[in-house]
Amino acid sequence: MSGIFISFEGIDGAGKSTHIDGLATAFRAQGRVVTLTREPGGTPLAEQLRTLVLNDAMDAMTEALLVFAARRDHVIRVIRPALERGEVVLCDRFTDATFAYQGGGRGFDWNVLASLEHWVQGGETFLQPGLTIWFDLPPEVAAVRLVGARVPDKFESQPQAFFEKVVAGYGRRYAAATERFARIDANQTPEDVWTDVLAAVRQSGMLP
Ligand code: TYD
């Protein structure tokens, strides 16, 4: 696969969106074709599953199975084909979010998640982002940012203690694969965060 696959992670309120758009612009300026997508979601089926996962109460295993079902559809219909065409895929959340939210936040079995990851992202080659940008933000700062921002979904309305476990989940994924991650201090001005994001992508060699 000749494409570039970057995922973006962090707790709700960490401020990923503007930087994802900024990177899309930067890659397009290099003449690259960019596929901007998100999880759960990115296909009509996966978007329907997203609506369920973000709004309906369910046990942690059901949640994990639904996000991986959405991911399977997304991987085979959108992500792998785009990478095979040599495109840049910028994905707002990917599997690290499942480990962080369902594994860390909800306490679902880490080893089962690892098995599902191999089932869903396996094949001739195992699919994993070439770079994962983790917008690391203390939950108490995120909570302040989220107040009044919009009507909170199921996850956004969780207490701070939940997000502390989500951060711990991200930390565990990070520790197991530091070479794949760029850990960005998201508790800075948007301008300073953007400087760090751009530096990380350049350092990876994906942008000149
Ligand atoms: P998010 O990416 O924050 O989108 P928006 O900015 O539109 O709210 O919302 C996705 C939510 O889904 C977020 O709270 C994290 C959660 N999520 C999981 O619980 N597991 C997953 O595997 C993924 C991809 C997301």
Side-chain angles (χ1 to χ4, degrees), residues 12 16 38-40 50 54 67 71 92-94 97-98 101-102 150 153 155-156:
D12 294 272
K16 300 170 269 117
R38 69 172 181 182
E39 290 211 344
R50 176 190 179 92
L54 266 57
V67 293
R71 180 162 303 127
D92 187 347
R93 302 187 182 282
F94 196 61
T98 312
Y101 281 77
Q102 281 67 50
R150 56 184 165 191
D153 64 33
F155 294 106
E156 288 160 351

Side-chain angles (χ1 to χ4, degrees), residues 116-197:
L116 289 168
E117 178 183 34
H118 276 88
W119 277 96
V120 168
Q121 291 154 239
E124 236 168 80
T125 52
F126 182 71
L127 180 75
Q128 199 68 291
L131 175 66
T132 296
I133 299 182
W134 174 21
F135 295 86
D136 191 16
L137 189 70
E140 62 272 20
V141 179
V144 173
R145 286 188 188 177
L146 282 176
V147 167
R150 56 184 165 191
V151 181
D153 64 33
K154 194 177 90 186
F155 294 106
E156 288 160 351
S157 51
Q158 291 295 315
Q160 200 174 302
F162 175 84
F163 288 107
E164 270 149 23
K165 291 187 279 179
V166 173
V167 169
Y170 275 127
R172 192 170 164 190
R173 285 289 276 183
Y174 170 78
T178 47
E179 67 293 343
R180 174 166 63 84
F181 278 87
R183 183 177 186 173
I184 306 279
D185 176 7
N187 194 11
Q188 311 182 76
T189 64
E191 293 74 23
D192 288 344
V193 174
W194 171 245
T195 301
D196 288 357
V197 168

